[in-house]
């Protein structure tokens, strides 16, 4: 019960301090809008191309929505030493980090639905498999957030967090099968694709919007859950090793 | 005082090494319930590392820590319920107001909304910050930040409070207020572990003091016992028109039985077990080309005890820390 109070307070504080700030709300809306518009114009195929664009735009929105803020805010709090206050609170490290990441996960999920809601005004989404889409978005948001967390606890400066995030995010976008099928990638790049959580998320998104997944759904979900668990555990390990000296 | 029987904190053989540096080396001490215990040492002596180990922010390499009987190595989170921590730098949230910061800190300790909100208001009142309750922490002055950070440390009414250099780098008036707050908290029954490099602060506030130098405790005793070491000691301080090289050793040679130290600002301090008659000393210094502008009898202080026990000049200790603060 006491831990619940701490969990909700951390989540509420972060939501108010970071995620509900006007620049972040506008970023959360404008960024997916810009990506959607850009891909829509680039495709040149009219409204029929929207379902084909949605997996990529949704994935980008979640990935950037979750990782951008989290890695910076945690590094910033660590540097300002306010994170020490959380480490000294009588709550488990697992619960603390879940509280710190839940805001980013929710922010990522909300971002994901911006392009979906927009698309609903222009095209018929009745063919979308919501039963696979919603859990996929949730799992992509969780794995991306934990990736952001892993970045945050692996660096000590805010600029390092941003650099490291981009170092992971941009290759991931182009190697996860969103824009180019993995089969068409050079042989030496293919193994990289399969060690990225977004590859499995993107495959579920393709399935959900276009029934065009390449890997079994159960395998994709299993891999996403495995990435979430591994990234979270690795982040906790890094905190215990590097921040609790 | 029966230290073992009533001890609320017991530390045995505590050691911590950072790469090649032995930050804390086989430290032992016990702190009684309701005691105000001072941990005194120069910058880099191991004070903050010790606090970090006691509070769970660092893992000891060796040794044991028991807080109210709880083994902190095995169960640090259980012990954290019992303690309030005020770090050496104010580390509250700049984007939150004073009131919000306190309420949030209360929530971290599981306090229910109503009780943490009323406690936050009560503390703001008690610490003289009620007028700034709705101001963002980032806009607080340094002294106000320290006060709010102390308030945040006690928001959940812990039986033990760790204070790491609470008055470093703040103005005199705020420092006085904070010392009074510490005194009042202790009078109310809170056990306080205070690290400081201000010797006079430790002398004024603490019932017992441990001197730590290079990670080792060189002496732990009650302030009264430590002060007893100065009984029968006479000190006179001379202000000179200029520094004279080698004056202290020359005077010790000329006047056997005295101890002479050169202080900063062309000042010389003479200590003796017998009453000091200043005439011969003034003449000795004037013969060496320095005019004596002032001779002052000094009441022996804890600073003298500290210097004698540790061999570290108190002004050097202060200067070192403040240099560090300014460079931050």
């Amino acid at each position: 019960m006491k831990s619940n109070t701490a969990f909700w307070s951390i989540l509420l504080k972060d939501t108010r301090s970071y995620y509900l700030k006007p620049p972040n709300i506008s970023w959360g809306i404008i960024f997916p809008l810009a990506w959607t518009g850009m891909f829509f114009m680039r495709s040149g195929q009219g409204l029929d191309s929207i379902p084909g664009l949605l997996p990529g735009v949704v994935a980008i929105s979640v990935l950037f929505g979750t990782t951008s803020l989290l890695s910076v805010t945690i590094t910033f709090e660590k540097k300002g030493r306010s994170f020490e206050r959380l480490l000294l609170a009588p709550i488990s490290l697992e619960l603390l980090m879940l509280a710190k990441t839940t805001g980013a996960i929710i922010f990522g999920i909300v971002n994901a639905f911006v392009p979906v809601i927009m698309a609903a005004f222009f095209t018929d989404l009745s063919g979308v498999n919501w039963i696979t889409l919603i859990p996929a978005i949730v799992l992509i948001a969780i794995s991306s957030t934990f990736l952001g967390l892993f970045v945050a606890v692996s660096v000590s400066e805010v600029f390092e967090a941003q650099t490291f995030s981009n170092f992971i995010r941009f290759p991931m976008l182009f190697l996860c099968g969103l824009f180019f099928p993995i089969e068409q990638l050079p042989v030496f790049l293919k193994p990289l694709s399969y060690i990225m959580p977004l590859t499995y998320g993107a495959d579920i998104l393709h399935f959900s919007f276009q029934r065009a997944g390449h890997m079994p759904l159960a395998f994709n979900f299993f891999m996403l859950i495995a990435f979430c668990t591994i990234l979270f555990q690795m982040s906790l390990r890094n905190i215990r090793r590097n921040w609790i000296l | 005082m029966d230290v073992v029987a009533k001890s609320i904190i017991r530390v045995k053989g505590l050691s911590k090494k950072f790469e090649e540096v032995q930050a804390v080396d086989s430290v032992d001490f016990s702190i009684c319930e309701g005691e105000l215990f001072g941990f005194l040492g120069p910058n880099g002596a191991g004070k903050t590392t010790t606090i970090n180990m006691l509070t769970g922010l660092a893992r000891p390499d060796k040794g044991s820590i028991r807080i109210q009987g709880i083994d902190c190595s095995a169960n640090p989170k259980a012990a954290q319920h019992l303690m309030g921590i005020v770090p050496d730098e104010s580390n509250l949230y700049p984007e939150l107001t004073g009131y919000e910061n306190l309420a949030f800190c209360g929530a971290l300790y599981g306090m229910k909304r109503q009780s943490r909100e009323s406690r936050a208001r009560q503390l703001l009142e008690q610490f003289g910050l009620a007028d700034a309750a709705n101001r963002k922490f980032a806009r607080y002055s340094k002294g106000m930040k320290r006060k709010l950070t102390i308030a945040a440390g006690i928001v959940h009414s812990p039986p033990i409070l760790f204070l790491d250099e609470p008055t470093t780098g703040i103005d005199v008036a705020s420092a006085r207020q904070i010392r009074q707050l510490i005194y009042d908290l202790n009078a109310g029954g809170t056990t306080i572990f205070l690290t400081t490099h201000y010797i006079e602060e430790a002398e004024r506030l603490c019932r017992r003091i441990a001197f730590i130098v290079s990670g080792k405790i060189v002496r732990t005793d009650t302030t009264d016992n430590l002060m007893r070491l100065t009984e029968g000691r006479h000190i006179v301080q001379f202000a000179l028109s200029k520094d004279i090289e080698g004056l202290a050793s020359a005077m010790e040679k000329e006047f056997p039985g005295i101890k002479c130290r050169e202080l900063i600002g062309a000042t010389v301090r003479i200590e003796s077990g017998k009453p000091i008659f200043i005439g011969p000393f003034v003449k000795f210094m004037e013969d060496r080309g320095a005019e004596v502008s002032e001779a002052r009898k000094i009441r022996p202080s804890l600073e003298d005890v500290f210097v004698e026990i540790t061999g570290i000049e108190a002004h050097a200790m202060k200067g070192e820390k403040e240099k560090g603060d300014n460079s931050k």
Side-chain angles (χ1 to χ4, degrees):
Chain A
M1 189 60 197
K2 282 186 167 183
S3 295
N4 284 348
T5 307
F7 176 89
W8 288 110
S9 296
I10 294 168
L11 175 57
L12 277 175
K13 185 202 80 67
D14 281 359
T15 305
R16 272 193 296 180
S17 295
Y18 305 129
Y19 302 109
L20 288 185
K21 284 276 185 269
N24 295 326
I25 296 175
S26 55
W27 159 267
I29 296 168
I30 290 168
F31 188 71
L33 279 176
W35 278 98
T36 311
M38 192 176 78
F39 280 107
F40 179 66
M41 284 187 278
R42 177 79 181 83
S43 73
Q45 292 166 17
L47 296 177
D48 292 343
S49 65
I50 289 178
L53 296 177
L54 276 175
V57 179
V58 166
I60 290 169
S61 302
V62 180
L63 183 67
F64 280 81
T66 51
T67 52
S68 300
L69 263 180
L70 185 77
S71 55
V72 171
T73 55
I74 288 189
T75 318
F76 181 73
E77 285 188 11
K78 173 73 173 65
K79 202 145 173 56
R81 292 184 65 183
S82 50
F83 202 83
E84 267 178 26
R85 193 162 281 284
L86 303 176
L87 288 174
L88 291 168
I91 51 170
S92 70
L93 188 59
E94 288 81 358
L95 191 74
L96 166 62
M97 296 323 293
L98 283 176
K100 290 300 289 178
T101 50
T102 301
I105 292 168
I106 294 169
F107 190 68
I109 293 169
V110 171
N111 274 6
F113 281 99
V114 171
V116 176
I117 292 167
M118 270 182 58
F121 289 106
F122 298 105
T123 189
D124 177 18
L125 295 179
S126 60
V128 173
N129 187 336
W130 298 100
I131 295 166
T132 55
L133 178 68
I134 292 169
I137 287 175
V138 172
L139 282 173
I140 294 170
I142 296 173
S143 58
S144 304
T145 301
F146 289 170
L147 188 67
L149 175 66
F150 179 69
V151 168
V153 300
S154 305
V155 298
S156 49
E157 298 289 341
V158 173
F159 76 88
E160 288 175 329
Q162 286 167 328
T163 311
F164 193 15
S165 290
N166 288 334
F167 182 74
I168 294 175
R169 282 187 304 204
F170 284 102
M172 188 146 76
L173 276 182
F174 294 103
L175 296 175
C176 72
L178 277 173
F179 304 113
F180 313 104
I182 294 172
E183 296 72 41
Q184 289 176 17
L185 289 173
V187 179
F188 68 95
L189 285 178
K190 278 185 186 173
L192 279 179
S193 297
Y194 292 107
I195 57 165
M196 293 175 171
L198 200 56
T199 300
Y200 306 95
D203 203 54
I204 307 174
L205 292 179
H206 279 305
F207 172 83
S208 303
F209 285 110
Q210 300 167 292
R211 312 279 163 174
H214 291 94
M215 289 178 277
L217 267 182
F219 177 71
N220 284 331
F221 277 112
F222 170 80
M223 288 304 288
L224 276 178
I225 292 168
F227 271 108
C228 293
T229 311
I230 292 167
L231 285 167
F232 190 61
Q233 289 304 328
M234 278 168 60
S235 302
L236 294 185
R237 186 172 153 269
N238 271 6
I239 293 172
R240 287 196 179 100
R241 271 178 43 172
N242 302 330
W243 292 5
I244 304 171
L245 297 170
Chain B
M1 189 183 301
D2 186 356
V3 171
V4 175
K6 295 182 199 164
S7 59
I8 192 166
I9 300 175
R10 291 183 70 178
V11 172
K12 271 190 179 172
L14 198 64
S15 297
K16 180 76 184 176
K17 200 172 182 178
F18 293 111
E19 292 171 2
E20 293 309 305
V21 180
Q22 188 72 48
V24 175
D25 191 0
S26 301
V27 160
D28 298 290
F29 59 86
S30 292
I31 301 174
C32 296
E33 207 168 333
E35 193 176 20
L36 207 166
F37 184 81
F39 211 51
L40 197 63
N43 203 18
K47 303 190 296 291
T48 299
T49 305
T50 305
I51 276 210
N52 284 347
M53 286 191 281
L54 290 169
T55 55
L57 259 190
R59 272 183 293 268
D61 295 335
K62 270 192 276 179
S64 69
I65 303 165
R66 283 192 173 270
I67 293 182
Q68 265 194 359
I70 297 167
D71 181 349
C72 291
S73 307
N75 199 357
K77 290 291 161 189
Q80 280 169 347
H81 273 289
L82 304 168
M83 47 175 103
I85 299 137
V86 180
D88 56 351
E89 278 176 56
S90 299
N91 67 346
L92 289 165
Y93 294 90
E95 72 277 12
L96 299 186
T97 64
Y99 170 77
E100 286 167 342
N101 262 303
L102 293 186
F104 176 69
C105 290
L108 291 179
Y109 288 84
M111 289 172 76
K112 291 217 166 71
R113 178 192 283 257
Q114 211 176 1
S115 60
R116 66 180 184 249
E117 287 180 353
S118 63
R119 177 75 170 145
R121 275 190 288 271
Q122 181 219 325
L123 285 170
L124 286 163
E125 198 70 50
Q126 186 186 337
F127 282 66
L129 296 169
D131 291 343
N134 296 318
R135 196 186 302 167
K136 292 224 185 320
F137 183 67
R139 292 178 52 214
Y140 273 34
S141 71
K142 221 169 177 182
M144 289 163 83
K145 281 182 177 172
R146 289 308 288 162
K147 281 196 262 183
L148 195 75
T149 309
I150 296 173
I154 57 165
V155 72
H156 56 298
S157 310
I160 305 165
L161 180 64
F162 291 94
L163 288 164
D164 194 1
E165 309 271 7
T167 57
T168 299
I170 57 171
D171 62 273
V172 177
S174 297
R176 276 171 72 98
Q177 280 180 321
I178 286 172
R179 280 188 203 112
Q180 187 59 45
L181 287 167
I182 295 169
Y183 182 84
D184 292 344
L185 279 172
N186 182 243
T190 307
T191 306
I192 296 179
F193 182 95
L194 171 80
T195 77
T196 182
H197 65 278
Y198 292 130
I199 299 174
E200 62 277 23
E201 181 170 279
E203 183 181 347
R204 211 175 302 170
L205 289 172
C206 302
R207 194 183 303 167
R208 270 193 324 131
I209 292 170
F211 291 148
I212 181 167
V213 178
S214 304
K216 283 187 178 170
I217 290 187
V218 290
R219 177 94 181 224
T220 307
D221 213 332
T222 61
T223 314
D224 290 343
N225 281 347
L226 289 168
M227 289 304 293
R228 245 170 242 137
L229 297 174
T230 64
E231 275 174 14
R233 189 181 297 180
H234 302 268
I235 303 173
V236 174
Q237 197 163 292
F238 295 92
L240 309 180
S241 56
K242 61 174 185 180
D243 277 316
I244 301 169
E245 213 181 312
L247 182 66
S249 52
M251 283 176 88
E252 283 180 358
K253 208 179 276 179
E254 180 72 17
F255 304 100
I258 65 148
K259 266 191 199 165
C260 185
R261 286 185 0 238
E262 287 168 48
L263 309 178
I264 46 169
T267 307
V268 169
R269 175 181 277 217
I270 292 169
E271 286 182 38
S272 171
K274 293 176 191 162
I276 298 169
F277 299 100
I278 62 171
F281 295 103
V282 173
K283 187 172 182 307
F284 184 84
M285 288 182 271
E286 284 179 345
D287 286 348
R288 273 147 190 83
E291 281 180 34
V292 177
S293 59
E294 187 187 69
R296 202 149 46 106
K297 191 167 180 184
I298 305 281
R299 187 182 70 89
S301 67
L302 190 64
E303 185 175 318
D304 300 295
V305 179
F306 178 83
V307 172
E308 185 170 314
I309 291 174
T310 65
I312 295 171
E313 290 291 346
H315 62 81
M317 180 162 112
K318 245 183 249 182
E320 194 184 340
K321 177 76 187 178
E322 272 146 18
K323 220 170 9 180
D325 290 340
N326 293 336
S327 64
K328 268 173 203 165

